[in-house]
Amino acid sequence: MTLSNPHIIEPMRKFGDIVRGYLLRKTNRLVIFRRFNGFMPAGYVVLRRPDVVELTLNEKWTQMINAEGHAQLASELPKFTFDTLSELMNGLLVRDRNISVECENCEGSEESGFHIGRVVKLAKDHFDFVFFDTKGCWFFSTYSIPYSSVTKIEFDDPYVDTFSKYIEDCPVPRESA
């Protein structure tokens, strides 16, 4: 799908949530969006391409979001490049910032749930993650999340970034990429 003007796209997925935003890029394995939370810009959302059943153009939201002055966000890619989930995770590890990871009950998935925290180590088939709870308290041990279980990753998200300003530093140091 190539559009001359910025359009708001809604990916239809196997899961019930709604993602609405500018489609920035598609790779063989991933679909990258600049998400909106209502009329406000949110972070980057990365979805697994096989989970995206259809990409639907939303004309009304396109009109509203563009009228609010956000059209330039349709061309603002993340500050690092990636084509695969492992390349994305490497870029996020190096940035040393908090992200959200969702594992949305895929068939045969080893993990499910929504986690906010930090990637601290990468392995061939999983990454180690340290997360904090809704009170802003870090867990002091890593949690292994298989790549195959991850369905959505968000970064540079105002919710995560704001919450992160008011909690302690991650208690587990990251390993070199």
Side-chain angles (χ1 to χ4, degrees):
M1 176 181 294
T2 303
L3 303 168
S4 58
N5 295 318
H7 285 76
I8 296 297
I9 305 295
E10 293 176 357
M12 299 302 158
R13 299 186 317 132
K14 302 172 185 178
F15 312 105
D17 71 328
I18 294 176
V19 174
R20 179 179 292 127
Y22 292 125
L23 174 63
L24 300 178
R25 193 162 164 257
K26 291 189 297 186
T27 73
N28 289 335
R29 297 184 180 140
L30 304 173
V31 182
I32 300 105
F33 286 88
R34 179 60 185 259
R35 188 173 71 81
F36 280 80
N37 186 2
F39 299 103
M40 300 305 296
Y44 295 101
V45 174
V46 180
L47 306 171
R48 297 187 309 190
R49 188 161 181 174
D51 295 336
V52 177
V53 177
E54 182 181 347
L55 295 172
T56 304
L57 178 72
N58 189 318
E59 288 290 348
K60 189 61 174 174
W61 277 93
T62 295
Q63 281 180 329
M64 293 186 297
I65 296 297
N66 289 348
E68 287 295 308
H70 299 301
Q72 83 284 358
L73 295 177
S75 61
E76 289 184 12
L77 295 170
K79 295 187 184 342
F80 60 99
T81 58
F82 54 90
D83 291 325
T84 65
L85 187 57
S86 59
E87 289 172 355
L88 168 63
M89 298 314 288
N90 187 62
L92 294 170
L93 173 73
V94 169
R95 291 179 76 216
D96 211 23
R97 291 182 53 201
N98 295 336
I99 64 170
S100 69
V101 175
E102 285 193 60
C103 303
E104 298 170 283
N105 293 323
C106 296
E107 187 175 322
S109 178
E110 297 177 41
E111 172 60 26
S112 66
F114 173 82
H115 311 291
I116 299 176
R118 189 162 304 175
V119 178
V120 294
K121 182 181 176 187
L122 301 177
K124 182 178 177 177
D125 61 348
H126 70 276
F127 58 94
D128 288 348
F129 194 74
V130 180
F131 58 98
F132 55 88
D133 62 20
T134 57
K135 296 177 186 174
C137 297
W138 285 98
F139 288 80
F140 288 93
S141 60
T142 61
Y143 190 71
S144 177
I145 300 178
Y147 290 121
S148 60
S149 297
V150 176
T151 57
K152 183 188 338 177
I153 293 179
E154 277 190 74
F155 59 96
D156 293 349
D157 179 69
Y159 177 84
V160 172
D161 292 348
T162 300
F163 201 156
S164 298
K165 287 189 327 187
Y166 298 99
I167 62 172
E168 301 291 326
D169 288 335
C170 180
V172 178
R174 72 177 167 93
E175 292 193 14
S176 298

